[in-house]
Amino acid sequence: MKVNKRKALIAGLGISLSLAVLFGVYSAVAYATPVSTRDVSYTTAYSEGGSLRHYALFSNETVYRNGTSLKYYPSGITDAIIGEYRYSTSPGASGSYKIEMHSNYYVSVNRKPVYLLNRTTEIASGNFDGSFSVPVEFNMTSLGEELKTIREGTDLYRAENEVYLTVTVIIDGREPFTQKIQVKKDTSGMLSLEGANKDYQKVERNVRVTENSVGFLGTSVKGSTARKVFPAMALLFAAPPLGFVYSKREKKPKDELAPLRKYIVEGKSPEGTRKVELKTPEDLKRVFELVDRPIVHDGSKEGDVYSIADGDTVYEYQQL
């Protein structure tokens, strides 16, 4: 069976072009699809907190009875602030703790404190599992007497004191938990406990990277692979049609005799006893300028023959 080569060539080029278009479309899809997707989630690794529940003992119970818990206590009648500090963590963990009482005495110089005496007393320390509680007392009467002694001993009657409790909790694998509970006295003479409650959560950021795929003829191709393979296949199948078009592209030949066309006439090459063959269009041009005779174009022979007759001499240039 005789095969039509031209039809087979055209069919092959058509298939190749179709596949090039197909892989070109899939290349666009591959580049439009992110290579991977990042999912970010947050989880609480652990939580912990400490709080001081407190009440006061008063030197005068006309208004407040002993054991009353208030946000603000009158400094003039408050003998002591008593409470229980409790720490807990979830999930439960084992560690160690230390609680210290600080009483510092100072005077202000240019709005900066100059400390006269610093006292630090350990209230409690030890190990715990999950939680612990410790009784705490701020003896305001004792602290007031010590402040009076400092003022008289230094002759600095503008001296003040700062009183606070520090809690330090150490658990392996975690950052230390610290809390400062300070006795504050405002201009009205009311006492309060600043920082009596503290909560902390350790939040962890989790990132999950999923590599996306591109569907191709019922299968899945990884996005990173698709971005490499699909464009390469598109170029591979596009090469034959492009090569064929390029090879068949008509290139208009350069007319070497363009300057002489207006002097050329159609006819039969003249006869002569002497024939001179010219090699180049430039030779034909020089002869034409010398003899000033018309150029005869004869296309009946093999190739195009351009002739100039000068008497019995004929000059011929054959353009193949």
Side-chain angles (χ1 to χ4, degrees):
M1 182 178 179
K2 189 175 181 179
V3 179
N4 190 319
K5 294 182 179 181
R6 180 176 176 80
K7 289 184 178 179
L9 175 62
I10 293 175
L13 292 174
I15 294 173
S16 183
L17 182 60
S18 299
L19 290 174
V21 173
L22 175 66
F23 281 104
V25 171
Y26 275 104
S27 297
V29 173
Y31 276 94
T33 303
V35 174
S36 60
T37 302
R38 288 163 53 94
D39 294 322
V40 181
S41 61
Y42 297 88
T43 57
T44 301
Y46 62 87
S47 60
E48 57 187 343
S51 63
L52 176 65
R53 299 182 62 181
H54 52 84
Y55 60 89
L57 300 178
F58 304 102
S59 60
N60 184 341
E61 295 185 79
T62 303
V63 178
Y64 301 114
R65 288 184 171 275
N66 287 335
T68 301
S69 177
L70 300 171
K71 184 175 182 180
Y72 294 95
Y73 298 105
S75 60
I77 62 171
T78 302
D79 287 337
I81 299 175
I82 299 174
E84 181 181 27
Y85 178 84
R86 179 175 177 80
Y87 168 90
S88 62
T89 180
S90 178
S94 300
S96 61
Y97 69 91
K98 181 168 66 174
I99 300 178
E100 296 177 316
M101 180 73 72
H102 304 266
S103 52
N104 304 325
Y105 301 88
Y106 66 95
V107 290
S108 295
V109 178
N110 296 326
R111 297 185 179 181
K112 295 182 180 180
V114 176
Y115 289 94
L116 307 174
L117 180 65
N118 298 322
R119 294 189 187 278
T120 300
T121 305
E122 183 178 296
I123 302 299
S125 63
N127 299 319
F128 71 96
D129 184 13
S131 65
F132 66 87
S133 60
V134 174
V136 175
E137 178 181 356
F138 295 94
N139 193 324
M140 305 310 299
T141 299
S142 175
L143 292 169
E145 292 175 351
E146 189 168 44
L147 175 60
K148 181 179 178 182
T149 302
I150 296 294
R151 287 173 173 175
E152 292 176 349
T154 59
D155 200 28
L156 297 171
Y157 290 92
R158 296 181 62 185
E160 297 293 340
N161 66 347
E162 59 180 13
V163 180
Y164 58 92
L165 199 70
T166 58
V167 181
T168 304
V169 179
I170 304 295
I171 297 177
D172 289 342
R174 298 184 185 180
E175 297 178 1
F177 175 86
T178 60
Q179 186 174 357
K180 180 180 179 179
I181 304 173
Q182 185 169 0
V183 177
K184 288 286 188 176
K185 183 179 181 180
D186 61 22
T187 55
S188 66
M190 299 295 285
L191 299 175
S192 62
L193 294 180
E194 183 179 80
N197 298 286
K198 181 180 179 180
D199 293 304
Y200 175 76
Q201 285 187 336
K202 176 64 175 181
V203 178
E204 293 182 343
R205 183 173 180 265
N206 305 304
V207 180
R208 186 181 65 179
V209 179
T210 304
E211 188 169 4
N212 296 326
S213 300
V214 177
F216 177 71
L217 302 179
T219 61
S220 295
V221 181
K222 290 183 178 180
S224 57
T225 303
R227 289 190 177 189
K228 298 176 183 177
V229 174
F230 291 162
M233 296 299 292
L235 291 175
L236 178 64
F237 285 110
L242 292 176
F244 179 78
V245 171
Y246 181 80
S247 65
K248 293 297 182 180
R249 185 177 62 179
E250 291 186 2
K251 295 183 179 179
K252 188 176 181 180
K254 182 180 179 181
D255 188 0
E256 298 173 325
L257 300 177
L260 300 175
R261 287 294 174 189
K262 59 184 178 180
Y263 307 111
I264 296 175
V265 295
E266 298 294 329
K268 191 174 181 179
S269 297
E271 299 291 336
T273 58
R274 181 170 175 263
K275 184 179 292 186
V276 179
E277 292 185 2
L278 303 177
K279 301 296 184 181
T280 66
E282 291 297 324
D283 294 338
L284 182 65
K285 181 179 179 183
R286 280 195 293 269
V287 171
F288 170 75
E289 292 174 348
L290 288 173
V291 302
D292 194 20
R293 300 296 296 274
I295 303 171
V296 180
H297 172 232
D298 186 352
S300 63
K301 299 180 181 180
E302 183 180 356
D304 293 314
V305 178
Y306 298 87
S307 305
I308 301 175
D310 183 20
D312 291 334
T313 302
V314 177
Y315 297 91
E316 286 187 354
Y317 170 69
Q318 188 174 15
Q319 189 180 48
L320 298 178

